[in-house]
């Protein structure tokens, strides 16, 4: 099987899952397992253990080379010469290198599983003591415990920017949760107590607010544990072609052993007896030693090239089977799109200056720590040249951070003469209700533009202001999944190779169709769930 490889490595020290900035979410290139120095060092002891005869005998070529290395070493000890020692050294290097390549291949799954284990054991959870409904979280007693020690019915509190330590159910509060690590979808989801939206998964991150989670998974049965079991199952297996080649090499080895053994009687008859070192060197030269020694390295090289492109090959069989692929199923988020929805355009309503909308959108997004909120600030800076106000520049500002309950963010500005200006940005329905609550009217153009953005596959956010002129909507922010540069050309190349591409996403059909058309996908499957993908 081929899977998307993990894009982020867990930190080395204990953590509560704080995400400190965009650089923590940047895509990192997966290291090459064969040439990574740390992997070579970890695999070297295993390579030495593979020098045991019971292991070497499984590979006839290496077994013959190792026997030859022993004979030349004994010859070098009894009759030391530079030639004998050099031949002995090269034979041992050949055997050790072949075993090292095999050890690296087998150690890949162990290293990846260990990385996931560190992600589980290094996460620290705040467990609530004697929690009950209505408990004041500000005064509740908590204790910090490793996530691996959590048991069913334990209750933990998870705040904004922290990682949910275990699978469970929300029993208090509501929050926006980033589940892209599990589902691959960039849009955050709302998780709240009660109903069918209370389930949360360990390893996902809370983007806003604070929730209380009751642990439901037993130790060793969480989603992360299942991921570890999947990775550990990625043990390197010999491919059919490799097995056939091994049989051929074994046959050739037997033939050349008989040939070299027959040379010594002929040499004695011709009074040209050769030393053991020369005969062993001749045998190793005749048999396909290089092919036998590099079989494992060849297999892992193909797996490494996939890993470097963030694809995990579960076995060498998957690499060979990839040559027969005629349909490619692709996840949307992180594969076709960049991973997070970004602000693509500002749409002012009639009579509103676009720069005025950009200024309001930026100010209302400064307290929004979600990826969408940060992208609005970036858009205002790069397209309109607006800089964020310096600390203390807005002395009387009251920031309103994004909340899953309100689904909006903003700022309240107050001047010395008592004038107040409230700026808000958020989901269309919530902003419409906010304007109407203060007695304002929402023009029909706002609804029409919002419907048009949604129909195109994007997400509309409204920007509104309430000042001395009353509450009113200034315009919209168009959020969209940004398709990666050059992805359409790559799909066209796959199409020329006879490979059909299908995008699988949990988005609604309108969004899926829009992304598929923009990326040049042949077909798509919308509103997919993990259960759907497994069929």
């Amino acid at each position: 099987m081929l899977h998307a490889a993990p894009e982020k490595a867990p930190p080395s020290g204990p953590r509560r899952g704080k995400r400190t900035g965009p650089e923590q979410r940047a895509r990192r290139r997966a290291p090459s397992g064969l040439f990574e120095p740390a992997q070579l060092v970890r695999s070297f002891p295993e390579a030495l253990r593979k020098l045991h005869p019971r292991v070497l005998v499984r590979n006839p070529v290496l077994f013959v080379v190792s026997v030859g290395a022993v004979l030349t070493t004994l010859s070098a000890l009894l009759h030391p010469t530079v030639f004998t020692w050099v031949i002995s050294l090269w034979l041992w290097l050949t055997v050790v290198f072949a075993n090292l390549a095999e050890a690296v291949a087998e150690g890949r799954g162990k290293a990846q599983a260990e990385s996931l284990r560190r992600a589980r054991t290094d996460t620290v959870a705040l467990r609530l003591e004697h929690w009950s409904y209505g408990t004041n979280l500000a005064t509740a007693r908590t204790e910090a415990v490793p996530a691996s020690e959590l048991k069913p019915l334990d209750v933990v509190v998870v705040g904004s920017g922290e990682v949910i330590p275990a699978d469970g159910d929300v029993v208090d509060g509501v929050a926006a949760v980033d589940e892209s690590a599990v589902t691959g979808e960039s849009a955050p989801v709302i998780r709240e107590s009660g109903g069918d939206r209370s389930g949360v998964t360990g390893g996902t991150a809370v983007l806003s607010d604070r929730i209380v989670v009751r642990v439901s998974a037993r130790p060793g049965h969480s989603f992360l544990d299942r991921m570890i079991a999947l990775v550990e199952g990625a043990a390197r297996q010999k491919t059919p072609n490799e097995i056939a080649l091994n049989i051929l090499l074994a046959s050739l080895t037997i033939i050349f052993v008989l040939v070299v053994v027959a040379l010594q009687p002929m040499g004695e008859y011709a009074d040209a007896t050769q030393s053991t070192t020369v005969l062993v060197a001749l045998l190793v030269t005749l048999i396909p030693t290089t092919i036998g020694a590099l079989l494992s390295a060849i297999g892992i090289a193909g797996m490494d090239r996939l890993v470097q492109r963030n694809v995990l090959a579960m076995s060498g069989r998957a690499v060979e089977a990839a040559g027969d692929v005629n349909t490619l199923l692709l996840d949307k988020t992180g594969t076709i799109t960049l991973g997070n929805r970004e602000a693509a355009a500002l749409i002012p309503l009639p009579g509103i200056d676009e720069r005025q909308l950009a200024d309001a959108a930026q100010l209302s997004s400064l307290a929004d720590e979600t990826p969408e909120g940060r992208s609005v600030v970036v858009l205002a800076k790069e397209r309109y040249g607006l800089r964020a106000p310096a600390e203390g520049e807005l002395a009387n500002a009251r920031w309103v951070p994004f909340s899953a309950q309100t689904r909006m963010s903003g700022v309240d500005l107050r001047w010395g003469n008592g004038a107040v200006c409230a700026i808000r940005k958020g989901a269309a329905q919530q902003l419409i209700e906010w304007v109407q609550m203060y007695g304002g009217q929402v023009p029909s153009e706002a609804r029409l533009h919002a419907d048009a953005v949604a129909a195109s596959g994007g997400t509309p956010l409204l920007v509104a202001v309430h000042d001395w002129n009353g509450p009113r909507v200034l315009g919209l922010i168009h959020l969209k999944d940004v398709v990666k540069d050059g992805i359409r050309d790559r799909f066209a190349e796959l199409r020329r190779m006879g490979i059909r591409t299908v995008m699988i996403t949990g988005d609604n059909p309108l969004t899926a169709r829009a992304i598929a058309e923009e990326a040049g996908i042949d077909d798509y499957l919308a509103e997919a769930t993990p259960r759907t993908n497994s069929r």
Side-chain angles (χ1 to χ4, degrees):
M1 295 177 63
L2 299 176
H3 294 273
E7 298 175 1
K8 296 182 275 291
S12 57
R15 60 184 175 88
R16 284 185 58 198
K18 281 287 185 180
R19 296 188 172 189
T20 56
E23 67 277 0
Q24 296 295 328
R25 288 173 293 274
R27 183 181 299 274
R28 302 175 182 175
R29 178 173 173 172
S32 170
L34 183 59
F35 299 106
E36 185 186 3
Q39 183 66 43
L40 291 176
V41 172
R42 289 193 298 266
S43 302
F44 190 73
E46 181 64 25
L48 296 180
R49 284 191 288 268
K50 288 180 176 292
L51 294 176
H52 195 285
R54 284 183 299 182
V55 178
L56 288 174
V57 76
R58 300 172 186 171
N59 189 329
V61 175
L62 284 184
F63 181 72
V64 170
V65 175
S66 61
V67 171
V70 172
L71 294 176
T72 56
T73 303
L74 293 176
S75 179
L77 292 174
L78 297 175
H79 307 287
T81 63
V82 174
F83 174 75
T84 305
W85 280 115
V86 170
I87 295 298
S88 300
L89 177 63
W90 277 112
L91 293 179
W92 283 119
L93 286 177
T94 301
V95 176
V96 171
F97 174 79
N99 288 335
L100 182 61
E102 183 73 19
V104 169
E106 294 175 353
R108 177 185 306 279
K110 297 177 182 178
Q112 292 167 339
E114 182 61 28
S115 176
L116 289 174
R117 286 194 183 93
R118 286 198 300 269
R120 178 183 59 185
T121 58
D122 291 349
T123 301
V124 177
L126 283 182
R127 183 166 58 189
L128 290 168
E129 299 180 0
H130 311 297
W131 180 86
S132 61
Y133 290 99
T135 299
N136 186 353
L137 297 180
T139 58
R141 295 180 57 186
T142 61
E143 61 173 339
V145 298
S148 57
E149 295 184 5
L150 294 175
K151 304 179 183 63
L153 302 182
D154 281 347
V155 179
V156 297
V157 58
V158 188
S160 175
E162 296 177 0
V163 173
I164 297 174
D167 299 353
D169 298 298
V170 179
V171 294
D172 188 24
V174 56
V177 178
D178 177 10
E179 294 187 345
S180 59
V182 177
T183 64
E185 298 306 322
S186 59
V189 297
I190 303 300
R191 291 290 177 255
E192 58 186 345
S193 59
D196 57 356
R197 298 191 300 175
S198 61
V200 291
T201 305
T204 58
V206 174
L207 297 179
S208 69
D209 303 281
R210 182 170 56 180
I211 53 176
V212 177
V213 178
R214 176 181 287 124
V215 178
S216 60
R218 292 178 295 153
H221 293 78
S222 66
F223 173 79
L224 196 56
D225 290 310
R226 293 195 295 272
M227 286 186 61
I228 292 173
L230 175 66
V231 173
E232 286 183 328
R236 206 191 81 85
Q237 301 175 2
K238 293 184 182 296
T239 66
N241 288 340
E242 191 174 348
I243 295 173
L245 188 56
N246 271 322
I247 296 175
L248 175 62
L249 293 179
S251 303
L252 293 176
T253 299
I254 294 174
I255 294 174
F256 286 122
V257 166
L258 295 176
V259 170
V260 172
V261 169
L263 285 178
Q264 189 67 340
M266 296 179 187
E268 291 180 356
Y269 180 79
D271 197 19
T273 304
Q274 301 298 319
S275 66
T276 302
T277 303
V278 172
L279 292 176
V280 170
L282 176 62
L283 174 62
V284 173
T285 304
L286 290 175
I287 64 177
T289 308
T290 304
I291 298 177
L294 293 179
L295 274 179
S296 300
I298 293 170
I300 194 176
M303 298 169 68
D304 279 335
R305 293 189 64 180
L306 291 174
V307 170
Q308 292 173 16
R309 289 159 178 81
N310 293 321
V311 177
L312 173 64
M314 300 296 290
S315 69
R317 297 174 183 269
V319 179
E320 287 192 357
D324 300 325
V325 168
N326 55 23
T327 301
L328 188 61
L329 305 180
L330 298 165
D331 179 40
K332 183 200 72 175
T333 306
T335 304
I336 299 173
T337 63
L338 292 178
N340 286 318
R341 294 178 303 173
E342 296 183 358
L346 299 180
I347 307 174
L349 293 184
I352 302 298
D353 181 69
E354 189 172 357
R355 192 173 182 84
Q356 177 187 0
L357 172 61
D359 189 29
Q362 182 205 52
L363 289 175
S364 60
S365 301
L366 292 176
D368 186 355
E369 292 297 326
T370 64
E372 292 83 357
R374 287 190 294 271
S375 71
V376 174
V377 177
V378 172
L379 178 68
K381 178 181 179 181
E382 294 181 349
R383 186 172 299 182
Y384 301 96
L386 299 176
R387 66 171 182 85
E391 185 176 355
E393 186 174 344
L394 300 176
N396 297 320
R398 185 181 71 86
W399 300 102
V400 181
F402 175 82
S403 168
Q405 289 95 338
T406 62
R407 301 189 67 184
M408 65 176 69
S409 63
V411 60
D412 293 335
L413 304 175
R414 184 179 300 275
W415 284 269
N417 59 3
V420 178
C421 176
I423 307 174
R424 295 291 186 272
K425 173 222 69 185
Q429 186 58 39
Q430 278 66 30
L431 260 293
I432 290 175
E433 294 175 356
W434 184 80
V435 171
Q436 293 175 343
M437 180 179 64
Y438 289 103
Q441 297 295 324
V442 178
S444 59
E445 290 87 349
R447 302 178 188 271
L448 292 176
H449 284 308
D451 293 340
V453 169
S456 69
T459 301
L461 298 179
L462 294 186
V463 179
V465 62
H466 184 195
D467 55 11
W468 43 90
N469 292 323
R472 61 195 184 279
V473 176
L474 300 180
L476 296 89
I477 302 172
H478 182 180
L479 292 180
K480 64 175 296 186
D481 280 315
V482 180
V483 175
K484 292 181 178 179
D485 293 335
I487 198 71
R488 190 179 186 91
D489 295 335
R490 293 191 181 186
F491 290 148
E493 184 178 354
L494 290 173
R495 196 174 297 110
R496 289 192 295 269
M497 296 168 59
I499 299 178
R500 177 172 171 265
T501 53
V502 179
M503 180 183 71
I504 300 178
T505 176
D507 288 338
N508 62 72
L510 286 177
T511 301
R513 182 173 66 246
I515 296 296
E517 291 176 353
E518 183 177 357
I521 295 288
D522 295 321
D523 200 357
Y524 64 89
L525 174 63
E527 296 181 343
T529 64
R531 184 179 300 275
T532 302
N533 293 343
S534 66
R535 289 201 298 262

